[in-house]
Amino acid sequence: MKVLILQGSPRANGNTAWMAEEYKKAAETAGHEVTLVNVSKKKIAGC
């Protein structure tokens, strides 16, 4: 199964970033293909 994790916390070493990374590791260990995207580092503008 392919899994996409969108992590949006601006704190690079915060709890949310840590939890997303731990989930990624666990899902990969279970055999899933995981992509983790830190959207707080992306420039996203309005329409």
Side-chain angles (χ1 to χ4, degrees):
M1 174 189 303
K2 292 184 179 183
V3 178
L4 173 63
I5 303 169
L6 299 174
Q7 198 283 102
S9 174
R11 295 177 53 207
N13 296 316
N15 290 335
T16 303
W18 172 80
M19 190 169 20
E21 192 60 44
E22 290 298 311
Y23 182 84
K24 179 180 184 232
K25 289 178 196 174
E28 288 174 335
T29 300
H32 303 292
E33 181 181 334
V34 182
T35 302
L36 174 60
V37 178
N38 187 347
V39 295
S40 68
K41 301 221 186 263
K42 303 283 184 191
K43 183 176 180 176
I44 302 172
C47 297

